[in-house]
Amino acid sequence: MTVETRVSDPRGAAKTSSRQEGPGGIWDSVKKTVVVIGSGILFLAAFSNSLTWHLQRFWGASGDFWQNLWTKLFVMFEGHDATLFYLGTMLLPTLAFWGSNGLLLLVDTTGKPSFIARYRIQVDKNSPVDPAKLSHAVRNVIFNQVFISMPMVVAVYYLMSLRGNPCGPELPTFHWALMELAMFSILEEIMFYYSHRLFHSPSLYKHFHKQHHEWTAPIGIVSIYAHPLEHVISNMLPVVLGPVILGSHLSTTSMWYCLAFISTTISHCGYHLPFLPSPEFHDFHHLKFNQCFGVFGVLDRLHGTDTKFRQTKQYERHTLLTSLTPLNESVPDTPKKGQ
């Protein structure tokens, strides 16, 4: 009913938007969020066998290989669990981050290979990227990784060790690992949306979050270009809290950290590349500031913080690109009056 009111009656839409911004509207959205997410969890639990049947067959066929590989690592690092944990949660995610961003930086700084530059979302920006601005961002990113992320991961290890050995000899089952990744994603969506939206309040934005928004046309590396306080609360906590709460195995935790790094890199990369998740949603956030606060867009839809985005060409392009034709060509911007 709410959607119909917004479409058919602009005055009603304005009233709805006003209610959403008030305390009652926020509380109503929170209740809706609980219902939607709770329903999703129940659905996943009820149909997990049928949804994961094909993947389970693959896992069953290759499970011995992964378990044997893990057993060799476990024996190799026997008595040095902390070292093994740090390699899996610091080294591998860092390689995933800089490996993916190294390729993107090559395009950002040289414009080559030129066929990738065709997929740039904001066509007139970062061609090439400003070297001084990039250098400043790189220094900040390295600072955040070394002096913020690494100490937090050390703390995570000791917290997880209180519940057991996160580097135990047995790998988790396929279904449990899949369920954990789903729970991590839900928790990240909730924590990132609300912490990110909090950082957009005027007082916090001015002193902390404005730094991240210096890049109105983002590139991959600025995914963790942020004030240290924001990096702790909005970048790190939504990612590390899930494995701590669930007492996850190192294998699942390491996979999750790598996926989180690659996902946020894609969201900020500035290119809508074929067969990769669409970054249009978060790119629009950097462009307009007051829209699209979340990761998946679920809470933005419930809170109405994507209404302007859904009226744009960027929203039409917010889909998986399954051809080699850039979406800014197949879904071009509406010509301005007089052109």
Side-chain angles (χ1 to χ4, degrees), residues 192 196 212 218 264 267-268 278-287 292-294 309 318:
F192 180 76
H196 185 195
H212 185 68
T264 192
S267 295
H268 288 83
S278 168
E280 301 278 355
F281 184 81
H282 195 72
D283 195 277
F284 188 79
H285 171 74
H286 275 260
L287 185 64
C292 308
F293 295 100
F309 173 66
H318 187 45

Side-chain angles (χ1 to χ4, degrees), residues 98-140:
W98 286 104
S100 56
N101 276 288
L103 296 174
L104 289 168
L105 284 173
L106 178 65
V107 185
D108 291 329
T109 55
T110 67
K112 299 178 181 180
S114 58
F115 76 90
I116 293 182
R118 293 176 58 217
Y119 297 96
R120 193 184 304 277
I121 296 173
Q122 298 186 44
V123 179
D124 57 338
K125 301 293 179 65
N126 297 326
S127 299
V129 68
D130 182 343
K133 192 176 179 182
L134 175 61
S135 176
H136 175 70
V138 169
R139 290 196 300 271
N140 175 263

Side-chain angles (χ1 to χ4, degrees), residues 237-274:
L237 279 181
V239 174
V240 304
L241 201 58
V244 172
I245 292 174
L246 296 180
S248 302
H249 191 272
L250 170 61
S251 57
T252 315
T253 304
S254 180
M255 182 187 301
W256 168 241
Y257 286 4
C258 290
L259 288 173
F261 262 139
I262 293 172
S263 175
T264 192
T265 293
I266 292 173
S267 295
H268 288 83
C269 73
Y271 301 96
H272 195 149
L273 297 170

Side-chain angles (χ1 to χ4, degrees), residues 15 51 119 147 172 226 291 302:
K15 293 176 182 177
L51 290 172
Y119 297 96
F147 295 103
Q291 291 278 293
L302 291 172

Side-chain angles (χ1 to χ4, degrees), residues 197-210:
R197 193 168 174 183
L198 180 65
F199 273 109
H200 271 266
S201 61
S203 57
L204 293 180
Y205 180 85
K206 177 181 178 181
H207 296 290
F208 303 107
H209 193 49
K210 185 177 181 180

